[in-house]
Every structure is written in C-alpha cells, then in structure tokens.
Amino acid sequence: MDLLIKGGTVVTAAGSFPADVAVTGGKITAIGKDLPGTAEQTVDAAGKLVLPGAIDAHTHMQMPFGGTVSADSYKSGTRAAVCGGVTTIFDYPVQHKGETILGLVNSKKEICETDACSDYAFHCCITDLNGGAILDEMEKAVEEGITSFKCFLVYKKEGMMVDDGMLATLLLRAKELGAMINVHAENPDLIDLRTAEYLKEGKTSAWYHYMSRPEFVEAEADKRVVHWASHLDTPVYLVHMADKEGLEACIHAKEEGHEVYVETCPQYLEFTCDVYKRPDGRNFVCSPPMKGEESREALWKALKSGFIDTVATDHCPFQSYEKDWGIHDFTKIPNGCAGVENMYPYMLDAANRGILSFERVVEVCSTNPARIFGCTAKGAVEIGKDADLVIYDPDKDFTISVNNMHSDYDHTIWEGKKLHGYPVQTYLRGKLVYDNGEYVGTPGDGKFVKREPRSV
Ligand code: URP
Ligand code: ZN
Ligand code: ZN
C-alpha cells in the first residue's frame, strides 16, 4: 500500500461516513473502518473530511482573447487548481478558422505533458466546419477521448461565433457520436446594438458592460438553445448560466424529460451586477456578466434543489494593466476573471455554513462533471477510482488574497473573501501535490484524461 488516509470522514455524493482510504498505484484500493496493513505513507485525517478532487469543467488557460492572452499558463493555472483542490481541469482550446480539431488539441496536449500540475481534458471550441471536414473529424476526436465540443453564440467580431444552423448541425452530429455540445448563450445582435448606443451616448464605464448584455440578452439565447436541443432531441450543456429566466427555461425542459445540463460559476452565486458600479468594476468584467439579486437567488435555489448540474469556474484571468485598457471604454476590457483555486473552497464554505450539504458540493463539483463528461476513473472516493483526494479541514479559517493564491495574475475578484474551512492537502492519483499552503508537486504530474463517449 502506498498511502493510507486514516480516521477521516469520507464524503461522496450519496453520503458521508467515517472510514480509512487506502491507495496503491494511484488508485483507491480499499475504503473501510480501521483498515489493516501498513503503508509507505500514513496520514492522520481525524477531524477532517476526505473528498474527491474537484473537476473544474470550464477553464481558459493561456488563451488568446481580448487582444491579449489570459494570464494563467497551463503550468500556473493547474498549479493553482491543485492548491484549491481541483485535480482535473477541462480547458477550452478555440479553433482558428481552417484549423483541425486534433491539430489544435494536440498542440495543447504537448504543452500540458510537460507543464500540467493537474490532470486535464479538453472541450474543443468549434468555430468553422471547414467545409464539413470537421464533422468527419469529430468522430476521430471522440475516439481519442475528446467527447465534448463548444459553440459560442457570441464573440462575432472575434470570429468565434457560430450561427443557429451550425449549432443545430453540431448538436445532431454530437448526438450521433455520443458526444456533447456545450454552449455559451447570449444574443450577439442585441449586445452589438446596445453597445453601439451606449458608446454613442458616451456611456463607457464597466456598468455598461452589464447594461449591454443584461438578463434578457442571455435569456433569449438560453431559450433558443433549449428550444433547438429539445426539438432536435439532442443533449446539450449550457455553460456559465447566470440569469433566472434562462435558468427557468432549462428547468422546464428538464422537467419535460429533455437532456439539458446546466453549469453555473461561483462568481454568479456570490456577486451581483452592482460590482460594475465599483471603481474597480472592470476587474469583474466577464461574459455573461453578473446579474441582479433575483438571478443570484434563483441560482442558489436551483443549486440546492438539484436543477444545476455542475459548478465550474470559467477561469480566465487578465492582469490589471490589461483590465485598465477599458477604464474609459468597457468594450476594451478583456472578458474574464480568476477562479480555479477558489471554487471548491468557496462551495465547501457554503456547506460548512449549512447553506447546502457537503454531499451536494461533491456532486456538483466532482461527481456530476465526471459523469456528464465521461471521466469514468474520476469523481468519487470509491474503490477503483483514481486517488484524486482532498483533505479538508472544516475548522481552518482562510481569507482569500492574491498573495496566498498560486496563479500568475496580479489581482483577484475574490480578494478579502473569508472562508470557514479550507483544503489542507491535495493528492493527484495518490501523489501529494498540495500541502498546507504550498504547491509540492512537479509540473508534468498531470495526465490527459481520455474520456468515454455516451452510449448511443
Ligand atoms: O468572460 C469570459 N467568460 N471569458 C472567457 C471566455 C468565455 O466566454 O467563456
Ligand atoms: Zn463563455
Ligand atoms: Zn468560458
């Protein structure tokens, strides 16, 4: 036995119980009270929770975007990930027009082989069907373990947007292949129209980022996606859900039996659009923007009642000087915020305060993303699964600051946030990679997660 974690409380999506956890060869080999035998390394977890490593199903590492490149490389972003209890990230490489899916993914895999500190998977963002060749290539990608693809319904000027016809084509092709389409839903024409009006009126502060894409702008696109997917009878996954009306459309479709999955992010659970009135409002600029209190409350309600399937971060930080490009023009602010190191601690703090259960946090942050996206070896403290484990101290107080994070960015929207309870150790397939505030792994520890397609 390589590792024995003794005396902790194991948390699964289905329940919590006191048990030891034994690890051999990177896998969980036994779970039970007072496990016999000796291990090379024994860890006392008395008074602590033993959780599955989180899966952050939505990151943008070193992504060219907004006139620059997001501030976390694969190395620093995944280093931060494991320090926040995330043992697998799903990154979103974006296809340039004419590029092949496998060419794109392989170029990212090559970087991750030497740099990744957590395990990694990719959802490939498709922007161009290359005359139909991409529809054929999707089959090969699925064989290689890339079983999800993304459509942006926005970012028209950036050349990333897909229209409804292409969305429908991809939804149907993905279904045929046992794959999933993830969608960023906002209405691009409404955004452009409103943006032009505000700029003409000299309304250029970060507040107008929100005003140019408020609740109904996201809701229209959410509803359109749900409409297409329901009528075409295909599964669909909506990323970073932030508005009540769109969320309600998803809940309605779910209740009717449609396979609609909903992801939200901690920033939409914590903040409202009021942040855009702050002097540093530009630092909170992301798309979709944070919405009003009614939406924030609806997200929490849906999270507690089971209608939100996953929580992920949309981690896409930029440096302060880059955010400052938009001091006098909100359209020049690179869109995105940091979060990969904060998600699990933030959600676990909510559980620690009794807002929702630890089991539910494990479900939305680990078990569900593993199940939805075909990571069969991940997502639970269970015999046979990868020993991606987090030891969590429910009594440790922690205040988030850019100075105690492990990323490469120079500010965080989470600055000053107080948490009760914090991860103290993270194990990646049985290897200790985070220990009481310090990253102790080696870049390159992370491995590509080859995923299983859904049954067709
Ligand atoms: O503002 C955001 N969310 N930036 C990253 C790209 C995206 O839309 O997910
Ligand atoms: Zn997005
Ligand atoms: Zn994103």
Side-chain angles (χ1 to χ4, degrees):
M1 193 190 320
D2 299 328
L3 171 67
L4 181 60
I5 299 173
K6 279 192 86 64
T9 298
V10 170
V11 184
T12 73
S16 304
F17 48 91
D20 302 342
V21 178
V23 174
T24 303
K27 295 278 183 191
I28 299 170
T29 47
I31 301 172
K33 269 203 152 175
D34 302 320
L35 288 179
T38 51
E40 267 176 43
Q41 195 197 348
T42 300
V43 176
D44 177 9
K48 313 273 197 309
L49 305 184
V50 182
L51 311 164
I55 296 173
D56 185 349
H58 191 155
T59 71
H60 302 275
M61 304 302 179
Q62 57 190 79
M63 179 171 90
F65 193 53
T68 180
V69 176
S70 59
D72 263 329
S73 62
Y74 284 101
K75 189 184 284 179
S76 62
T78 53
R79 181 179 68 214
V82 295
C83 294
V86 169
T87 45
T88 302
I89 64 152
F90 276 68
D91 204 57
Y92 276 105
V94 182
Q95 176 205 22
H96 294 107
K97 303 280 180 207
E99 198 175 16
T100 65
I101 298 175
L102 291 171
L104 169 66
V105 167
N106 288 338
S107 69
K108 305 295 176 190
K109 264 184 169 175
E110 215 171 286
I111 302 169
C112 287
E113 267 161 31
T114 53
D115 287 10
C117 306
S118 71
D119 284 354
Y120 51 92
F122 300 102
H123 311 286
C124 190
C125 304
I126 297 177
T127 61
D128 179 9
L129 293 182
N130 292 354
I134 291 294
L135 299 173
D136 294 332
E137 208 199 356
M138 281 167 77
E139 186 167 12
K140 187 91 179 63
V142 169
E143 280 164 22
E144 306 237 336
I146 315 291
T147 61
S148 45
F149 305 91
K150 183 177 188 184
C151 294
F152 287 104
L153 300 189
V154 286
Y155 305 136
K156 203 197 290 186
K157 287 193 282 289
E158 292 83 346
M160 290 155 72
M161 191 189 96
V162 310
D163 61 21
D164 288 357
M166 187 162 152
L167 170 66
T169 304
L170 287 167
L171 284 169
L172 288 166
R173 180 62 175 148
K175 181 182 178 183
E176 221 167 56
L177 296 170
M180 179 80 85
I181 296 297
N182 306 352
V183 185
H184 173 144
E186 289 182 287
N187 182 305
D189 297 327
L190 271 169
I191 295 169
D192 286 351
L193 193 70
R194 294 171 70 82
T195 300
E197 276 169 16
Y198 287 129
L199 291 181
K200 206 162 103 197
E201 292 165 14
K203 295 173 172 166
T204 59
S205 75
W207 173 249
Y208 293 96
H209 172 69
Y210 163 67
M211 288 295 285
S212 64
R213 46 215 305 165
E215 280 78 346
F216 69 90
V217 171
E218 182 180 338
E220 185 282 330
D222 291 329
K223 289 178 179 175
R224 185 159 30 106
V225 172
V226 169
H227 180 86
W228 280 111
S230 301
H231 285 281
L232 295 172
D233 191 24
T234 67
V236 73
Y237 179 96
L238 285 109
V239 301
H240 51 41
M241 177 63 60
D243 76 291
K244 182 180 178 202
E245 196 181 334
L247 174 63
E248 283 172 352
C250 294
I251 292 173
H252 183 66
K254 279 168 173 283
E255 284 174 338
E256 287 195 330
H258 297 295
E259 216 182 329
V260 172
Y261 297 100
V262 181
E263 169 195 284
T264 194
C265 310
Q267 55 272 33
Y268 303 118
L269 295 168
E270 176 69 7
F271 303 108
T272 67
C273 52
D274 283 351
V275 292
Y276 299 115
K277 293 179 180 160
R278 290 170 40 159
D280 64 345
R282 62 189 171 283
N283 291 341
F284 293 80
V285 163
C286 57
S287 291
M290 280 55 128
K291 303 298 198 304
E293 182 60 16
E294 247 191 278
S295 285
R296 195 181 79 86
E297 283 170 15
L299 290 168
W300 272 111
K301 188 168 164 219
L303 189 58
K304 288 186 223 173
S305 56
F307 287 114
I308 284 179
D309 299 284
T310 64
V311 174
T313 66
D314 197 10
H315 183 81
C316 189
F318 294 96
Q319 305 294 11
S320 300
Y321 80 89
E322 294 162 325
K323 289 288 193 183
D324 289 352
W325 292 337
I327 290 181
H328 302 298
D329 179 350
F330 68 90
T331 65
K332 299 202 161 49
I333 306 168
N335 285 202
C337 301
V340 73
E341 193 167 348
N342 312 115
M343 172 182 79
Y344 216 17
Y346 175 78
M347 295 306 297
L348 291 164
D349 167 86
N352 220 2
R353 292 177 197 272
I355 295 168
L356 74 178
S357 68
F358 282 108
E359 290 82 0
R360 181 78 183 124
V361 172
V362 161
E363 187 173 30
V364 294
C365 293
S366 183
T367 310
N368 280 354
R371 177 178 55 80
I372 294 166
F373 292 117
C375 309
T376 49
K378 309 265 183 210
V381 182
E382 211 176 279
I383 293 173
K385 299 274 188 198
D386 284 352
D388 295 339
L389 298 167
V390 171
I391 301 186
Y392 177 78
D393 181 349
D395 296 321
K396 184 177 165 129
D397 288 311
F398 189 88
T399 303
I400 301 173
S401 162
V402 70
N403 301 319
N404 55 26
M405 296 290 99
H406 298 79
S407 277
D408 273 353
Y409 51 73
D410 66 352
H411 69 279
T412 170
I413 58 170
W414 296 98
E415 188 73 37
K417 174 74 186 168
K418 289 186 173 24
L419 302 175
H420 183 53
Y422 207 76
V424 288
Q425 288 192 323
T426 305
Y427 293 85
L428 178 65
R429 284 174 280 99
K431 178 178 174 181
L432 183 66
V433 289
Y434 168 75
D435 192 16
N436 281 290
E438 300 296 327
Y439 171 66
V440 296
T442 311
D445 284 340
K447 283 199 177 2
F448 173 66
V449 181
K450 183 168 188 236
R451 296 180 284 133
E452 294 297 323
R454 303 149 48 82
S455 44
V456 280

